[in-house]
Amino acid sequence: MILGTVLGLIIFGGIGEFSKSQKANSLGQVKYLIGVSYPNLNGPWQLQMNKEIKNEIARHDDTRVIFTDAAQNDEQQVQDIHSLMSYGIDLLIVSVDNASTLTPVISEVYKKIPVIVLGRGVKGYDYTLYIGSDNQLNGNMAAKEAIRLLGNKRGQIIEVEGNKESLQAEERSKGFRETIQRESKHSIIETINGNWLKDRAEDELKNLLKSGVKPDLIYAHNDAMALGAYQALKQLKIEGIKIIGTDGLNEESGGLRLVKQGIIDATYITPTGGTSAVQYAIDILHKVPGLPKKIILRNHEVTKSNVDSYLTEGDNSSIPFIKKKERKIKLGFAQVGSESEWRLANTDSIISAAKEAGVELILKNADYSQKKQMDIIRDFIKQKVDVIAFSPKTEDGWEEVLMEAKNAGIPIILSDREINVEDQTMWTSFIGSDFVEEGRRAGKWLVSDSKLTTTPLHIIEIEGTANSAPAVDRKQGFNEIIQQNSKFQLLQSYSGDFTLDQGKKWMKQALKTYGTEIDVVYAHNDDMALGAIKAIEDYGLKPGVDIKIISIDATIKAFNSLKLGKMNFTVECNPLLGPQLMKAVKDLENGIEIPQKIITAEETFDQKQSKKEFSRRAY
Ligand code: GYE
């Protein structure tokens, strides 16, 4: 630990240590200094992350990296971050083990400079960009593989967890457990804390096995611990136990080799994001507009049956790439409809971004019919377009048509709404918002606005289209917050399809039923909120005063209502997805793996904050 701390502060690029005042001189040509803080650099996955950062930074002459290794000591990492700040870094890249201890420190840094959180999450949203994979999904996938490996018998599973405090371990565990419980009769009989370390996992497991515990399968949160488990079993001469790991590195003792050698049965390639972190850091430092808030990288399941394709080609055989063509790349976009102001801005953004990127766009509108949207997709398949993107009206019902696209080798990009399908390889990437967070933000505003109110607050919710991702998630996020205090009472939820007319119709109905009892309207988009405002005025009450109005989207019409005092709060949902979509299409063409999810950066606006933004809004 001491060694790690002392050696921790190292600067790549041959520059010695320096103080803030020396920065300009000693860096010479160097314009930017990026600080990287690791919780520890003792695992192969962390070393891989470090290698990627080093290699990528070497391509930028005007940028240097300075990194610290806290050697698994949280307090040390807090100090490290303070030291990096005192060295005058322009941007911080940080990976954390202990989210509780590090979150407040990172929030403070974020007030001063941009922060990229890498691989391991912090709590909340106080950072510029998060890059990492979906750990819960990782756990889900591992559980599905465990169920396949165990077959029909009632299996006994031991879970070997990473560091207890890390969100990564918590999420993998959650995903694994939920799926095992929901989809099988197997039981997780013991959980041991391997702290991400091979030796620790080996020792702990040996103790457990000696006490007579008999597992059928071991699920380890990383490959290092999976190897530790294998060695424990080997020493005790226990055979026939299945082992699943995670990380999938292609190096000595890395997951891919372990699968190849039959030491473990499955692993999940979990990209570290080191390369992307540096690329985005450069973009952030150069103030490139429209950068996302979260990049979720894709995991790949590797078993004996597909390990060779990863070892030899290093490719991602489950993802279809576009073969480079002589002609312009052809993108078929099945737009869901023209239901809202948001949608109109979204369509415009896609058309203009395609033009700018030199992508041939075939844009068709489904007039808010799922059936028609499927017909359009089928037509795109027939026309042999290179990529299909669409904004799925609802979450369910897409398996068949997406299977057809997959069989035709056409990658699918989900634009702004997600779907529910078992097989996650049916789609390549999702570009859009975190709707649950949008709902939470709406709820949090209400909580803070009504801090001094002790009497009950009666709420009417006007939901978006039933079974659509934004409606499901915005409801969930809002509920999560208001359920924490019983003074918030939801009178009724209406399903309003995201249109102004529906908002007006349901608000009229609500007023007829509840009249002046209503204190708050929460509408899942601006158009429905605007409809509700009309209905309230027709009823003779003052929207924004007698009844508070909260909405989502933050289009110019919402800003207008905020200005007139008729609306109280709007949560931004960014419709300008065109540029990100075209970047993904181009990456596919160039054989670059695109992230599983690209989540846009968004703000919130109350009446006061909206004044500044008003003149800047283009939609
Ligand atoms: O918020 C709403 C629209 O899917 C994000 O759909 C989109 C939503 C948007 O019609 O106004």
Side-chain angles (χ1 to χ4, degrees):
M1 191 140 76
I2 291 171
L3 238 188
T5 313
V6 174
L7 293 180
L9 208 63
I10 296 174
I11 302 170
F12 294 130
I15 308 162
E17 286 187 28
F18 50 86
S19 71
K20 192 171 181 174
S21 58
Q22 291 170 310
K23 178 180 165 187
N25 293 337
S26 56
L27 289 175
Q29 298 289 349
V30 174
K31 240 170 109 186
Y32 301 115
L33 184 60
I34 297 175
V36 181
S37 162
Y38 296 113
N40 66 69
L41 264 180
N42 57 2
W45 191 80
Q46 281 71 28
L47 291 170
Q48 170 69 22
M49 181 188 274
N50 193 30
K51 196 160 87 190
E52 287 181 23
I53 292 180
K54 243 165 112 175
N55 290 346
E56 190 58 29
I57 208 76
R59 303 179 31 192
H60 301 275
D61 287 344
D62 64 348
T63 309
R64 289 285 184 277
V65 168
I66 173 172
F67 85 90
T68 59
D69 169 11
Q72 209 124 41
N73 176 339
D74 303 329
E75 288 311 316
Q76 179 61 46
Q77 193 173 12
V78 173
Q79 274 182 39
D80 286 347
I81 293 174
H82 290 314
S83 317
L84 288 171
M85 289 301 282
S86 74
Y87 279 93
I89 56 169
D90 302 294
L91 181 144
L92 174 69
I93 296 178
V94 60
S95 177
V96 309
D97 245 0
N98 187 330
S100 312
T101 313
L102 270 306
T103 298
V105 185
I106 291 169
S107 299
E108 278 309 303
V109 172
Y110 176 58
K111 286 182 190 148
K112 300 184 185 110
I113 56 169
V115 177
I116 297 180
V117 176
L118 183 55
R120 298 176 172 188
V122 293
K123 298 186 172 157
Y125 267 76
D126 279 353
Y127 50 76
T128 315
L129 173 66
Y130 170 79
I131 303 176
S133 53
D134 184 337
N135 290 300
Q136 198 166 325
L137 180 66
N138 222 321
N140 290 146
M141 290 164 84
K144 291 203 159 121
E145 182 58 18
I147 294 169
R148 264 193 298 273
L149 286 166
L150 288 169
N152 288 334
K153 68 174 174 188
R154 278 175 186 251
Q156 312 229 58
I157 301 172
I158 295 180
E159 184 180 8
V160 187
E161 284 186 318
N163 183 326
K164 268 247 168 279
E165 276 84 33
S166 85
L167 280 180
Q168 198 176 33
E170 192 182 307
E171 289 163 5
R172 281 183 193 166
S173 198
K174 187 164 180 255
F176 186 76
R177 279 160 192 274
E178 277 178 4
T179 306
I180 290 288
Q181 263 161 25
R182 199 182 46 235
E183 295 178 22
S184 81
K185 297 212 160 58
H186 310 304
S187 43
I188 301 165
I189 49 166
E190 294 280 351
T191 303
I192 54 184
N193 180 3
N195 211 10
W196 305 115
L197 303 169
K198 175 177 137 296
D199 294 348
R200 165 107 181 238
E202 184 180 328
D203 294 345
E204 295 276 325
L205 187 63
K206 251 195 297 192
N207 288 340
L208 192 67
L209 293 170
K210 278 183 194 156
S211 75
V213 173
K214 287 199 171 55
D216 300 293
L217 183 140
I218 294 168
Y219 166 50
H221 289 182
N222 74 1
D223 292 327
M225 297 190 296
L227 179 58
Y230 169 80
Q231 288 173 346
L233 291 165
K234 199 169 157 204
Q235 283 163 38
L236 298 175
K237 301 205 167 46
I238 303 174
E239 282 175 7
I241 315 290
K242 308 283 183 203
I243 305 176
I244 298 179
T246 311
D247 279 353
L249 295 176
N250 185 2
E251 61 181 32
E252 183 78 35
S253 297
L256 292 190
R257 312 259 173 110
L258 298 180
V259 170
K260 176 74 185 162
Q261 293 158 31
I263 289 177
I264 65 175
D265 296 277
T267 186
Y268 295 84
I269 298 178
T270 311
T272 70
T275 309
S276 322
V278 175
Q279 289 165 350
Y280 275 107
I282 303 288
D283 283 353
I284 292 169
L285 290 168
H286 287 95
K287 302 207 162 35
V288 171
L291 293 174
K293 185 77 184 177
K294 271 188 176 180
I295 298 283
I296 308 296
L297 304 166
R298 186 176 279 276
N299 304 314
H300 296 269
E301 181 170 82
V302 182
T303 60
K304 212 166 184 103
S305 66
N306 67 351
V307 67
D308 284 335
S309 70
Y310 287 101
L311 280 171
T312 50
E313 301 152 36
D315 81 340
N316 310 292
S317 45
S318 56
I319 303 292
F321 286 107
I322 307 166
K323 286 193 200 74
K324 254 208 174 325
K325 307 262 161 54
E326 291 299 309
R327 55 167 172 78
K328 266 190 187 177
I329 187 161
K330 217 185 257 183
L331 165 69
F333 192 96
Q335 183 58 291
V336 63
S338 314
E339 74 283 6
S340 64
E341 293 296 320
W342 189 99
R343 186 64 59 196
L344 302 181
N346 177 246
T347 306
D348 285 349
S349 166
I350 290 160
I351 294 172
S352 61
K355 231 179 251 158
E356 196 160 312
V359 169
E360 185 185 337
L361 173 70
I362 313 172
L363 187 120
K364 290 264 146 61
N365 199 310
D367 301 321
Y368 226 62
S369 145
Q370 184 175 23
K371 158 96 183 39
K372 189 159 175 196
Q373 208 170 17
M374 286 182 186
D375 291 343
I376 294 171
I377 295 172
R378 290 205 163 95
D379 192 49
F380 287 154
I381 299 173
K382 237 203 266 147
Q383 288 185 47
K384 296 199 168 65
V385 299
D386 300 307
V387 193
I388 295 173
F390 75 115
S391 167
K393 182 179 174 195
T394 51
E395 291 186 328
D396 295 325
W398 298 102
E399 269 88 357
E400 225 176 287
V401 66
L402 293 193
M403 205 51 192
E404 290 166 31
K406 194 178 165 178
N407 290 338
I410 304 175
I412 293 280
I413 298 178
L414 304 175
S415 182
D416 79 89
R417 296 185 182 182
E418 290 193 74
I419 54 171
N420 263 337
V421 284
E422 266 283 299
D423 177 0
Q424 302 294 332
T425 65
M426 278 189 170
W427 53 278
T428 304
S429 192
F430 164 75
I431 301 173
S433 311
D434 181 343
F435 297 135
V436 179
E437 178 61 20
E438 288 174 352
R440 284 192 201 113
R441 288 178 178 177
K444 282 179 185 164
W445 178 81
L446 184 58
V447 169
S448 81
D449 183 64
S450 59
K451 254 196 313 259
L452 303 175
T453 317
T454 47
T455 49
L457 277 166
H458 298 113
I459 306 167
I460 291 292
E461 180 182 29
I462 310 181
E463 296 175 18
T465 305
N467 190 243
S468 73
V472 174
D473 294 352
R474 286 172 186 167
K475 184 179 187 67
Q476 183 196 321
F478 184 74
N479 264 341
E480 201 181 282
I481 302 298
I482 61 161
Q483 266 166 13
Q484 292 165 16
N485 189 327
S486 60
K487 78 177 174 194
F488 298 114
Q489 292 178 12
L490 189 61
L491 290 176
Q492 195 158 339
S493 298
Y494 301 90
S495 183
D497 248 354
F498 290 121
T499 63
L500 188 139
D501 285 351
Q502 292 265 325
K504 190 172 168 198
K505 173 179 138 192
W506 288 120
M507 194 60 214
K508 198 172 161 194
Q509 177 73 35
L511 285 160
K512 212 162 129 195
T513 315
Y514 302 101
T516 52
E517 223 186 306
I518 303 168
D519 300 300
V520 182
V521 171
Y522 167 47
H524 286 189
N525 82 342
D526 288 345
D527 302 70
M528 295 190 299
L530 292 169
I533 287 173
K534 286 218 171 78
I536 294 168
E537 285 175 335
D538 290 349
Y539 190 80
L541 289 174
K542 272 192 160 161
V545 181
D546 298 326
I547 298 178
K548 299 252 160 107
I549 311 284
I550 306 171
S551 96
I552 295 183
D553 277 354
T555 56
I556 192 105
K557 291 201 175 155
F559 280 101
N560 223 349
S561 302
L562 284 163
K563 195 170 154 196
L564 296 171
K566 296 182 180 183
M567 189 184 275
N568 304 80
F569 190 66
T570 185
V571 179
E572 184 177 35
C573 177
N574 190 350
L576 308 180
L577 305 179
Q580 292 287 349
L581 175 62
M582 299 311 149
K583 180 179 184 306
V585 169
K586 293 245 141 176
D587 280 353
L588 276 174
E589 189 186 20
N590 293 321
I592 299 170
E593 180 174 298
I594 58 175
Q596 181 162 25
K597 294 186 187 178
I598 300 164
I599 309 292
T600 42
E602 289 161 354
E603 292 176 50
T604 59
F605 302 94
D606 60 17
Q607 291 177 347
K608 215 166 120 211
Q609 290 154 336
S610 69
K611 286 197 187 113
K612 254 205 345 243
E613 183 66 17
F614 194 71
S615 55
R616 280 189 263 159
R617 269 290 118 150
Y619 55 88

